[in-house]
Amino acid sequence: MPRERPCLESIFGAIRFAFWGAVQPSSLNRIQRENRQPGTTAWQLTNPADNRQIEGYASLTSVPVGGNIDLFVNTKDANYTLTVFRMGWYGGKGGRKVLGPQTLAGCNK
């Protein structure tokens, strides 16, 4: 029996990211300046969905500075919270929060 594929609906037209943060010493390149930004381990899932309570994916795996990305989410809940992290070194923490948290309306079809 074929498995029914969930309907994933776009939550935004696009999200704009400004990844390069505050001005840093000019002797550092862009990657070094970005990696000096404060990091967080909050991107690591501590209570993941285990029965398809929420599903989602992004239209791209990487976004250039100032680029757009579409996010698609499927959930039966009326609302959900979105936080976006940029993955990188960040002092060994593995990520930096760049957006959120934002509460958005859920979509289930």
Side-chain angles (χ1 to χ4, degrees), residues 54-74:
I54 187 166
E55 301 171 302
Y57 67 93
S59 61
L60 300 167
T61 57
S62 181
V63 183
V65 175
N68 297 326
I69 187 169
D70 293 321
L71 302 176
F72 302 90
V73 175
N74 180 49

Side-chain angles (χ1 to χ4, degrees), residues 34-35 37-40 86-96:
E34 176 61 24
N35 282 337
Q37 298 294 319
T40 181
R86 181 180 193 275
M87 307 315 292
W89 173 244
Y90 303 108
K93 294 188 176 175
R96 177 172 75 86

Side-chain angles (χ1 to χ4, degrees), residues 79-98:
N79 297 300
Y80 65 96
T81 302
L82 172 73
T83 305
V84 177
F85 297 90
R86 181 180 193 275
M87 307 315 292
W89 173 244
Y90 303 108
K93 294 188 176 175
R96 177 172 75 86
K97 185 168 75 169
V98 295

